Amino acid sequence: MLRIHFTGNDLAGVRMAGRPDVLWETILSFHRLRDRRGPVVYGEWRSETRTRLNGETRLLAALVPSRGYFPDFLTPAEGFGGLDEGLQAVRATSPERLRAELALLGSARPGGRTVPHSLRVLAEGGAESFSRLIGALRSYHRAAVEPYLPHIRARVEADRAMRGRALLDGGAEELLASLPRMLRWRAPVLEADYPVDRDLHLDGRGLLLQPSYFCRGTPVVLRDPGLPPVLVYPITHCEAPTVREPGGSSLAKLVGTTRSAVLHAIGDGGTTSELARRAGVSLASASQHAGVLREAGLVATLRHGNAVLHTLTPLGAALLGGAQGAPGASPCYARNGPVTS
């Protein structure tokens, strides 16, 4: 059981990450690559990714066991800014922290198994060994995560929109209560199923909520309580990631491929810029198609200053739900229902 203890200041400091964290997705995807769970969501991704790998997993497997502890330095906060910023922060890990976390990783190895030579060399702080680690992380990311980033971003943004609605409706407590069902808000404590028994006291620092595509089953927190608190939690999956362009759906035949993509992109709500990014179209095109969908009664638009928020009307949700129920489509279920993974 994981128990995260909040004060009033911590509730005021709860915030949502604005996008996927590429290093969290990279490390957590490595877990998904090696297990066989979630075949509907991850099965095809595993097959496609394995064909693109070229030995990167050997070094990563020593650092990221299939279960249990992996070093905090692999997922610095800078990963939120992109792969280059994240890897620069990994490279800047102090020798003292590197040795401490690798020693902890070695002590956690089951049955007293010998620490791999690659970890001993890395702990000694050799520049060459660190360069190999950075190269392996970059190469693995390009094979396993980068081709699917548009899909991952769209799903994370849809989750953020859902949590944002909860925050607007009832504040931080409603937001925490809206999290996936393995997380339970029992004020002033957020509880979660967890591999070990742990208490995390936020002590007025607030909490960053980071939705993740490749997190599965249980949330993840950093082991070092002195680091800025972050809770990485699984999103609700609607379909498997793909690098192929969508097409051929009954909805696309009805309203057109681009307009169908924009309607799908609205999901639980989004600005015009978010629709453009999710649907892979220009800002002007997203605005035009959203306008047509609004005139047809499928979309409602709320204006706030220079920004607008588009949401589905009941008619739009019904149309989208009917298309998702067509052959070949993957349904997405609400928080208390089943998920496809």
Side-chain angles (χ1 to χ4, degrees):
M1 179 77 72
L2 170 68
R3 291 171 293 271
I4 303 178
H5 299 263
F6 287 75
T7 65
N9 287 337
D10 294 315
L11 283 173
V14 172
R15 57 205 186 279
M16 285 293 304
R19 63 180 70 90
D21 184 302
V22 294
L23 284 180
W24 274 112
E25 297 295 352
T26 297
I27 298 301
L28 293 175
S29 76
F30 191 52
H31 284 284
R32 302 289 76 79
L33 185 71
R34 291 173 293 172
D35 66 36
R36 297 182 179 180
R37 296 175 295 176
V40 173
V41 175
Y42 302 117
E44 186 174 353
W45 166 81
R46 288 188 186 107
S47 299
E48 293 175 350
T49 296
R50 284 169 179 151
T51 65
R52 291 190 289 265
L53 292 173
N54 188 27
E56 298 88 351
T57 60
R58 286 193 293 271
L59 177 56
L60 295 183
L63 273 174
V64 185
S66 56
R67 62 183 61 186
Y69 171 76
F70 59 86
D72 290 338
F73 76 81
L74 293 173
T75 53
E78 290 82 355
F80 178 76
L83 185 64
D84 289 338
E85 292 88 340
L87 292 181
Q88 287 175 10
V90 172
R91 187 183 291 275
T93 303
S94 70
E96 295 78 16
R97 179 181 175 184
L98 182 66
R99 285 193 292 269
E101 293 191 6
L102 291 179
L104 187 59
L105 177 62
S107 66
R109 293 179 66 80
R113 289 165 54 190
T114 304
V115 176
H117 175 71
S118 57
L119 289 189
R120 295 198 299 272
V121 172
L122 187 61
E124 293 169 1
E128 183 178 347
S129 60
F130 225 120
S131 294
R132 284 199 299 271
L133 169 61
I134 297 299
L137 285 169
R138 186 182 297 277
S139 181
Y140 174 80
H141 172 85
R142 286 174 175 169
V145 178
E146 190 174 89
Y148 308 95
L149 270 178
H151 178 88
I152 293 169
R153 289 191 187 108
R155 296 309 312 150
V156 167
E157 287 179 357
D159 184 274
R160 289 185 66 247
M162 186 186 308
R163 309 304 163 206
R165 292 271 181 83
L167 181 65
L168 290 173
D169 289 344
E173 292 200 55
E174 184 68 21
L175 166 60
L176 294 172
S178 80
L179 292 171
R181 55 187 172 181
M182 78 286 295
L183 289 149
R184 298 170 293 278
W185 174 241
R186 295 171 179 167
V189 178
L190 182 64
E191 297 180 350
D193 302 327
Y194 210 63
V196 297
D197 199 48
R198 182 173 176 198
D199 288 273
L200 175 59
H201 294 270
L202 300 178
D203 296 329
R205 295 173 294 170
L207 180 67
L208 174 64
L209 299 174
Q210 177 67 65
S212 167
Y213 191 91
F214 286 107
C215 185
R216 185 188 184 279
T218 61
V220 185
V221 295
L222 296 167
R223 191 184 189 283
D224 185 350
L227 294 172
V230 57
L231 176 69
V232 182
Y233 67 89
I235 64 168
T236 298
H237 288 287
C238 293
E239 66 277 326
T242 178
V243 295
R244 295 183 296 274
E245 292 296 324
S249 73
S250 56
L251 181 60
K253 293 176 182 177
L254 177 65
V255 301
T257 301
T258 302
R259 199 159 293 158
S260 170
V262 172
L263 189 64
H264 277 86
I266 290 174
D268 291 296
T271 65
T272 306
S273 296
E274 288 172 336
L275 301 191
R277 184 165 60 252
R278 296 173 193 171
V281 299
S282 69
L283 188 63
S285 178
S287 178
Q288 177 189 5
H289 288 296
V292 172
L293 294 169
R294 182 171 59 251
E295 292 172 3
L298 304 178
V299 170
T301 298
L302 175 66
R303 298 185 180 275
H304 181 71
N306 294 328
V308 295
L309 176 66
H310 306 285
T311 59
L312 295 175
T313 65
L315 178 61
L319 180 62
L320 193 58
Q324 289 175 335
S330 299
C332 181
Y333 293 87
R335 174 175 175 249
N336 293 323
V339 295
T340 56
S341 60

